[in-house]
Amino acid sequence: EVTVEMDPGTFTAAKARELVALGAQRASVGIQSLDDAALRRCGRGHTAAQAVEAISVLRAAGFQSVSADLLSGLPGQSQEQLVSDIRQLVDLGVDHISVYDLQFEPGTQFARRFPEPGRDGRPSDDTAADLYEATHWELDALGFEHYEISSFARRGCSSCEEDRPSRFRSQHNQGYWCRKPYAAFGNGAASFVAGIRASRPRGVDAYCNWIACGAPTNGLQEVDTSQRDSSREALSEAIMLGLRTSDGVRIFAHDDCSACVQAAADALLPWQDSGHALVEFRHCQESGQNGCEMHAKLLPP
């Protein structure tokens, strides 16, 4: 799968056709909202009309799949507005929708403009949760599989396809959630190879100088070796990432990691009792080693 991320108003029909000719099969478009006032509040450089046009252009260019990103929890956003955006995108024929809950990170412009939840248009935590739940049920009714916290893929049309994972799931993103290694290229790009997370230099000049010097390992930034050096760290991350998905996580562990898996299962039991999770845990043997196995997943709202 070759995915190109694009923003409305930044490409032409000719460029879209050229990308398809080069082998791109999937386009992911940063729509964010189909309300012009909301887009202005976000500081986005495109209009709702340009967003609609972008999807039509990509479809006409021959992309096999088109995905759209939306933001939930925007200041002043109503549930009716978010649902309307979703319905419009589905009517336009997108195969995949990612709906991201807007985070008001400390120090950012949004956090300074809207410092307190529930005031000046910033949604309260309860309102944000209501938007999330409305998104789930609306897209479920429209035939989309909620396969990851923020990700929805169009289900197949036939009865046999309905019981299978959607073919429109993002293959790229699923690699992250399964902790598969990935390479990255370009300034600021982050990779996960051999248990090490590393980012390339962000500045163009710094990146070019780094390449000219042979791309030495000591030139990488934000290096994190914990996933390589600590099996418990890697296991904890695998559980966290797996629980983001509707497939959940299935893990066998032995030796000192068994206690970590059992602790995770125990922590999830109250959520199973309240109907929010499914947890299966058992002690077992694999390849002659004593250990334990856990299968866990979070249930839809």
Side-chain angles (χ1 to χ4, degrees), residues 197-257:
R197 300 189 187 283
S199 296
R200 281 95 184 113
R202 287 190 176 277
V204 174
D205 291 340
Y207 178 74
C208 291
N209 291 335
W210 178 66
I211 293 294
C213 293
T217 302
N218 60 10
L220 297 175
Q221 301 171 340
E222 302 174 3
V223 174
D224 174 13
T225 63
S226 62
Q227 305 303 313
R228 179 195 65 188
D229 299 336
S230 170
S231 55
R232 291 175 66 90
E233 289 279 352
L235 187 60
S236 296
E237 183 181 82
I239 293 171
M240 178 273 292
L241 291 172
L243 288 175
R244 291 181 61 95
T245 71
S246 60
D247 296 332
V249 60
R250 187 181 298 275
I251 288 182
F252 174 84
H254 55 81
D255 299 331
D256 61 327
C257 290

Side-chain angles (χ1 to χ4, degrees), residues 26 69 96-101 132 135-136 139 144-153 165-166 168-170 172-178 240-248 298-301:
R26 183 175 182 270
D69 290 353
H96 186 281
I97 298 178
S98 296
V99 185
Y100 297 110
D101 182 39
Y132 180 82
T135 296
H136 166 82
L139 280 164
F144 279 67
E145 175 196 20
H146 192 176
Y147 71 99
E148 189 269 341
I149 286 177
S150 302
S151 306
F152 302 81
S166 168
F168 293 112
R169 289 185 177 190
S170 169
H172 174 79
N173 288 346
Q174 286 191 112
Y176 296 142
W177 304 320
C178 295
M240 178 273 292
L241 291 172
L243 288 175
R244 291 181 61 95
T245 71
S246 60
D247 296 332
L298 302 181
L299 300 177

